[in-house]
Amino acid sequence: MKVLKMRGCLGPNVYPAVPDGGWGWVVAAAFFLVEASTYGVVKTLGIFLQDLMEEFGESNSRVSWVISICAFIMTFTAPLATMLSNRFGFRPVVMMGGFLTCLGTISSAFTSSIKEMYITIGVISGFGYCLSFLPTVTILAQYFCKRRSLVTAVASSGESFAVFAFAPVFSRLKEDIGWRYCLVIMGVIQASIISCGLLLRPIVIETVKDAASEADAVAQSDYELENEQTCTSVDSALSRGSEDSGVPSSASEEDLGLEEEKTKALMAQQEQDRPHSPPPSPSSEKEGSFLPDSRAGPLKPRSPKLLDFSVLRDGAFIWYSLFGLFATLGFFAPQLYITELSKSRGVPVTASSCMLSVMAVAEIVGRLSIGVVLNRARCRKTLVVLGCVVLLCLVLVAFAVVWEFWGLAVCCALYGFFLGTVASTHIPLLAEEDVVGIQKMPSCVGVYVFIQSFAGLAGPPLGGVLVDVTKNYGAAFYSCAAGMGLGAVCLALVGVAKSRTCQRRSRREQKDVEQEEKLSRCSDDSDFLELDFGPRGGLVPGQ
């Protein structure tokens, strides 16, 4: 392989191993800003719901579809974002995502109906969010190995910091300048995603051991080819001497000597030229990776998989995707209904508005805590996350049975904490060997988020239907708890499926090794016969 070198700060970073730092810290800072400008802004848009209802004369449910469509597009288009990233690289895709995000938010300030906002914020900004977020979290996972969980958790806290900061600031600002100018300011802030995309330098892991092993393999194949050519030349010389011209054995020996001298000279020349040829180097970015098409042919670009649907045959990935599908039911609805639930339980209006702030602060603590725990965990990281999912399910059930202010406040704090542990790790965990591994993550993360999109679209409406039927806001939390419980069951089955896959792979590898040993014994016998320099089928001289 050959990696194309790019000049300046735009070129890829080449490391002998995963750096667990280096330029990865810059990527982590970029991911923090991307999180704040994408998910943080989406969760903050709820402060404009009442203003939009009064401006356009629409109901609460019709206005809420703006956020629902945005969340759906952001996850539904994940496979397309993955394909574009694998085709054109992470940097241009994130920069395009930042432009679309900024364009959609600013243009929404000039809309005249709620249907137009379905297009501006729902479709344009939603697609921009996907193009910005997904490639950034993918390349961040490639820069870290041992510290991956900790760094990802800390960087993803940008979402919570944005909610904590943006909500009070824009709530106060919209009273002075109006909600339209607030959206313009948000769009200008989101333009920072474009500069974050410039910082996403590709990473290339180039190990000396792998390069040496590939060079040895090429040299071994060249030697076998030369050995075969030598035997063929010698055999042809003997055949010409004994069959074609009828020359006695002395002439055959003379031709044999000439052929041997030519062959030795050719092999010596190739041995001198081989050290000067550049050794192959593995690549991790398709922007500059090449594979040799043949031993002596020209180098041709390698065509990587744009989207890896083969992971759908992996049992561990299927169960993990089902976990993400069901768990997403509990990601959005609680923030949507907690204020109304608090009012229905007799909590004052001013105190009900503080519940979201309690969730945001607790979520920051949860994201930081899970990063430290997973960085030091000695067991499977999926088991740690499984414990958090089970506790989060119990907290969702508790929402439906508590009535007073402090009970709801404690539930909000616990929910925010455990939500932070799960929300900040469920995508980076794809890079762990317990699920699919870091090599398959860039091509399968789009499939995983795509599967999640349906739950993100159905979660809030499902809770709303239960509230309308039962006339109780606590019913929405029961549906969230049920989805989170199913997600916990699916996550528990990931380890079982992975163990079975590893067992089948080990048995298959053992059979391959045994078959290779049999083939090697057969090839040794054939090589011995080929090196017999005597005339094939001819008469022995002197007879």
Side-chain angles (χ1 to χ4, degrees), residues 270-528:
Q270 291 180 351
E271 289 294 335
Q272 293 177 358
D273 295 340
R274 184 177 293 119
H276 298 285
S277 60
S281 59
S283 71
S284 63
E285 280 295 332
K286 85 187 76 357
E287 297 180 2
S289 59
F290 287 82
L291 273 174
D293 185 52
S294 61
R295 294 187 183 94
L299 295 178
K300 296 183 178 180
R302 183 180 63 175
S303 57
K305 289 185 177 180
L306 298 180
L307 198 63
D308 189 8
F309 284 103
S310 64
V311 293
L312 295 177
R313 297 193 298 266
D314 189 348
F317 178 78
I318 292 176
W319 285 114
Y320 195 81
S321 298
L322 292 176
F323 151 70
L325 176 67
F326 292 118
T328 305
L329 293 174
F331 283 172
F332 298 100
Q335 289 94 335
L336 184 61
Y337 295 110
I338 183 59
T339 302
E340 299 299 329
L341 176 66
S342 302
K343 293 178 182 179
S344 65
R345 300 294 168 84
V347 178
V349 178
T350 55
S352 300
S353 61
C354 296
M355 296 298 176
L356 283 175
S357 299
V358 173
M359 284 186 179
V361 174
E363 188 175 346
I364 295 174
V365 178
R367 290 174 182 268
L368 300 179
S369 300
I370 193 63
V372 176
V373 172
L374 292 182
N375 192 45
R376 299 180 179 179
R378 300 298 181 183
C379 60
R380 287 184 175 181
K381 296 180 180 180
T382 53
L383 295 178
V384 179
V385 178
L386 176 60
C388 297
V389 173
V390 173
L391 294 175
L392 182 58
C393 180
L394 297 178
V395 172
L396 288 170
V397 175
F399 269 110
V401 298
V402 297
W403 286 87
E404 58 183 8
F405 168 80
W406 289 109
L408 289 172
V410 171
C411 287
C412 287
L414 293 175
Y415 172 80
F417 179 84
F418 291 114
L419 177 66
T421 61
V422 178
S424 63
T425 55
H426 70 103
I427 293 180
L429 275 182
L430 288 170
E432 300 296 331
E433 294 299 329
D434 298 345
V435 189
V436 297
I438 186 62
Q439 294 181 350
K440 290 185 177 181
M441 181 187 176
S443 56
C444 74
V445 66
V447 180
Y448 171 74
V449 178
F450 170 78
I451 295 174
Q452 276 189 293
S453 64
F454 298 98
L457 182 65
L462 177 61
V465 170
L466 294 177
V467 170
D468 293 336
V469 172
T470 61
K471 306 300 179 182
N472 180 15
Y473 284 97
F477 291 84
Y478 280 127
S479 66
C480 296
M484 198 65 65
L486 291 174
V489 174
C490 296
L491 183 59
L493 294 175
V494 172
V496 178
K498 194 67 176 181
S499 299
R500 293 181 178 178
T501 302
C502 293
Q503 291 176 1
R504 290 195 298 267
R505 186 179 303 170
S506 61
R507 288 195 296 266
R508 191 183 306 113
E509 291 177 354
Q510 185 176 2
K511 291 181 181 179
D512 294 340
V513 170
E514 294 177 355
Q515 187 174 3
E516 289 178 359
E517 292 177 354
K518 293 181 181 179
L519 293 176
S520 63
R521 288 194 294 268
C522 294
S523 63
D524 291 341
D525 296 337
S526 62
D527 290 342
F528 176 75

Side-chain angles (χ1 to χ4, degrees), residues 45-56:
L45 291 177
I47 64 176
F48 301 116
L49 289 180
Q50 189 65 31
D51 300 280
L52 296 177
M53 291 170 58
E54 296 176 357
E55 179 75 18
F56 301 126

Side-chain angles (χ1 to χ4, degrees), residues 3-6 8-17 19 21-27 91 139 142-143 199-206 284-285:
V3 179
L4 294 180
K5 303 298 182 182
M6 299 176 64
C9 62
L10 297 179
N13 287 313
V14 181
Y15 296 98
W23 192 259
W25 298 116
V26 179
V27 178
R91 181 184 291 116
I139 195 172
Q142 295 176 356
Y143 268 96
L199 301 176
L200 302 182
R201 297 178 61 181
I203 179 173
V204 175
I205 305 300
E206 188 177 73
S284 63
E285 280 295 332

Side-chain angles (χ1 to χ4, degrees), residues 25-93:
W25 298 116
V26 179
V27 178
F31 181 59
F32 181 91
L33 296 177
V34 170
E35 273 272 352
S37 301
T38 54
Y39 279 96
V41 171
V42 170
K43 291 185 176 181
T44 308
L45 291 177
I47 64 176
F48 301 116
L49 289 180
Q50 189 65 31
D51 300 280
L52 296 177
M53 291 170 58
E54 296 176 357
E55 179 75 18
F56 301 126
E58 298 288 350
S59 62
N60 196 342
S61 59
R62 288 178 61 86
V63 175
S64 299
W65 274 105
V66 175
I67 300 177
S68 298
I69 293 174
C70 179
F72 174 72
I73 295 296
M74 182 168 49
T75 52
F76 184 80
T77 56
L80 179 58
T82 300
M83 293 176 62
L84 293 175
S85 300
N86 292 334
R87 176 63 179 86
F88 301 104
F90 297 109
R91 181 184 291 116
V93 173

Side-chain angles (χ1 to χ4, degrees), residues 14-261:
V14 181
Y15 296 98
V18 179
D20 259 335
W23 192 259
W25 298 116
V26 179
V27 178
F31 181 59
F32 181 91
L33 296 177
V34 170
E35 273 272 352
S37 301
T38 54
Y39 279 96
V41 171
V42 170
K43 291 185 176 181
T44 308
L45 291 177
I47 64 176
F48 301 116
L49 289 180
Q50 189 65 31
D51 300 280
L52 296 177
M53 291 170 58
E54 296 176 357
E55 179 75 18
F56 301 126
E58 298 288 350
S59 62
N60 196 342
S61 59
R62 288 178 61 86
V63 175
S64 299
W65 274 105
V66 175
I67 300 177
S68 298
I69 293 174
C70 179
F72 174 72
I73 295 296
M74 182 168 49
T75 52
F76 184 80
T77 56
L80 179 58
T82 300
M83 293 176 62
L84 293 175
S85 300
N86 292 334
R87 176 63 179 86
F88 301 104
F90 297 109
R91 181 184 291 116
V93 173
V94 174
M95 294 176 64
M96 177 58 66
F99 172 75
L100 292 176
T101 300
C102 176
L103 176 64
T105 304
I106 294 179
S107 61
S108 63
F110 303 95
T111 55
S112 58
S113 67
I114 196 65
K115 293 181 180 179
E116 294 178 1
M117 296 195 73
Y118 292 164
I119 303 299
T120 55
I121 291 183
V123 178
I124 298 177
S125 291
F127 185 49
Y129 292 154
C130 182
L131 295 182
S132 304
F133 169 78
L134 206 60
T136 309
V137 69
T138 302
I139 195 172
L140 178 63
Q142 295 176 356
Y143 268 96
F144 292 90
C145 181
K146 296 180 180 179
R147 302 176 181 175
R148 182 184 299 134
S149 300
L150 176 60
V151 174
T152 306
V154 174
S156 64
S157 63
E159 169 190 343
S160 302
F161 277 104
V163 175
F164 181 74
F166 288 170
V169 170
F170 284 103
S171 296
R172 178 67 179 86
L173 193 61
K174 73 176 181 177
E175 297 178 359
D176 298 332
I177 63 176
W179 64 272
R180 293 184 183 271
Y181 287 103
C182 287
L183 291 178
V184 173
I185 296 175
M186 278 187 172
V188 174
I189 295 175
Q190 289 174 329
S192 61
I193 298 176
I194 300 176
S195 60
C196 292
L198 287 172
L199 301 176
L200 302 182
R201 297 178 61 181
I203 179 173
V204 175
I205 305 300
E206 188 177 73
T207 58
V208 179
K209 181 179 179 181
D210 293 339
S213 62
E214 291 186 11
D216 293 341
V218 173
Q220 179 67 21
S221 62
D222 289 342
Y223 174 76
E224 293 175 357
L225 180 61
E226 294 162 0
N227 187 24
E228 182 180 356
Q229 293 175 350
T230 303
C231 297
T232 304
S233 301
V234 172
D235 187 37
S236 62
L238 293 176
S239 299
R240 288 194 302 269
S242 59
E243 297 178 3
D244 296 340
S245 60
V247 180
S249 60
S250 59
S252 300
E253 292 176 357
E254 182 179 358
D255 292 340
L256 177 61
L258 293 175
E259 293 292 339
E260 287 180 347
E261 291 179 0

